[in-house]
């Protein structure tokens, strides 16, 4: 077995982020193994979104390293992050409102296409083949996310929970190996959260995608995650199974203000 094969899919090593005199992350380290669903939790302002922004190269760590399949993410230009196999959804859903659901999901295939500008302009056979493949894959994901009834609807008029599912389908269209979910349960009711839990499991089990989610909805994180990492004031305070983390004194103190 090679070192690359033995390495975790994602390895965060001693990552610190400072904004002026403010320490947003302080020496945070953890791994996510291939095929895991991992949860990242912490109170408001703990540094969760800052860490996600480092993983997707929106922020540059002040110190530390981030490895994906054994190679440095920090050496990859921001626009190439989808190319190496990291996808992301955002807390504030950002779809192309005037495009249909199908077109929005097809946009997610852009990183998987290789046609040149000239080939596209001339509508060469290779371009047509790519577009047909993108459409076929988009339709598969629309069915996977139970969006068949909305294929040709403009995204702008869709209910919020449906828009979230479209965004997830679009992220999967890029064929990520690791999917970063940024508060996927935000704005959903109890029944919708239960549906989301099933969808996250199916993303891992059916699509074969490893998942790391930031989430405030504790029951979702604890029920769907194989491991949970907790940070508070930018520092990792616990890591383990959901049961281990729930019982950890520092986690209890961070959320409840007491270890009792």
């Amino acid at each position: 077995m090679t070192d690359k094969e033995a390495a975790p899919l994602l390895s965060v090593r001693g990552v610190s982020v400072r904004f002026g005199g403010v320490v947003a992350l302080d020496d945070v380290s953890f791994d996510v193994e291939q095929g895991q669903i991992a949860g990242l939790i912490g109170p408001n302002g703990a540094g969760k979104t800052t860490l996600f922004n480092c993983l997707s190269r929106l922020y540059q760590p002040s110190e530390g390293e981030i490895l994906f399949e054994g190679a440095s993410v920090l050496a990859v230009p921001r626009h190439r992050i989808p190319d190496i196999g990291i996808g992301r959804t955002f807390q504030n859903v950002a779809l192309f409102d005037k495009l249909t659901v199908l077109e929005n999901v097809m946009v997610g295939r852009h990183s998987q296409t290789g046609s040149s500008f000239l080939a596209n302009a001339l509508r060469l056979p290779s371009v047509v083949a790519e577009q047909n493949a993108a459409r076929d894959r988009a339709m598969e994901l629309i069915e996977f996310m139970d969006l068949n009834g909305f294929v040709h609807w403009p995204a702008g008029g869709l209910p919020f929970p449906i828009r979230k599912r479209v965004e997830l389908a679009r992220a999967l269209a890029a064929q990520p190996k690791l999917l970063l979910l940024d508060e996927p349960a935000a704005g959903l009711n109890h029944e919708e959260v239960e549906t989301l839990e099933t969808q996250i499991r199916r993303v891992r089990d059916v699509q074969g995608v490893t998942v790391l989610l930031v989430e405030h909805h504790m029951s979702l994180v604890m029920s769907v995650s194989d491991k949970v990492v907790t940070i508070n004031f930018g520092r990792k305070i616990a890591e383990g199974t959901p049961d281990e983390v729930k019982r950890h004194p520092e986690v209890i103190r961070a959320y409840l203000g007491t270890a009792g």
Side-chain angles (χ1 to χ4, degrees), residues 187-204:
L188 303 183
N189 63 33
H190 178 73
E191 182 178 342
E192 291 160 351
V193 170
E194 288 185 345
T195 299
L196 174 64
E197 179 181 339
T198 300
Q199 290 168 339
I200 292 173
R201 291 187 188 279
R202 293 183 69 236
V203 165
R204 191 267 307 273

Side-chain angles (χ1 to χ4, degrees), residues 136 228 244:
D136 290 345
V228 177
E244 290 169 342

Side-chain angles (χ1 to χ4, degrees), residues 177-226:
K177 300 172 184 176
L178 173 67
L179 183 58
L180 309 175
L181 300 180
D182 189 355
E183 299 200 22
L188 303 183
N189 63 33
H190 178 73
E191 182 178 342
E192 291 160 351
V193 170
E194 288 185 345
T195 299
L196 174 64
E197 179 181 339
T198 300
Q199 290 168 339
I200 292 173
R201 291 187 188 279
R202 293 183 69 236
V203 165
R204 191 267 307 273
D205 297 340
V206 178
Q207 299 293 329
V209 178
T210 302
V211 177
L212 174 62
L213 68 150
V214 162
E215 185 53 70
H216 285 290
H217 198 293
M218 293 297 289
S219 63
L220 171 65
V221 174
M222 295 303 177
S223 62
V224 80
S225 300
D226 300 306

Side-chain angles (χ1 to χ4, degrees), residues 29-30 82 86 100 124 137 213 228:
S29 298
F30 65 90
I86 299 178
T100 66
L124 296 181
R137 178 56 176 158
L213 68 150
V228 177

Side-chain angles (χ1 to χ4, degrees), residues 62-76:
S62 307
E63 298 173 8
E65 181 61 278
I66 299 170
L67 302 176
F68 183 70
E69 295 188 310
S72 176
V73 169
L74 303 183
V76 178

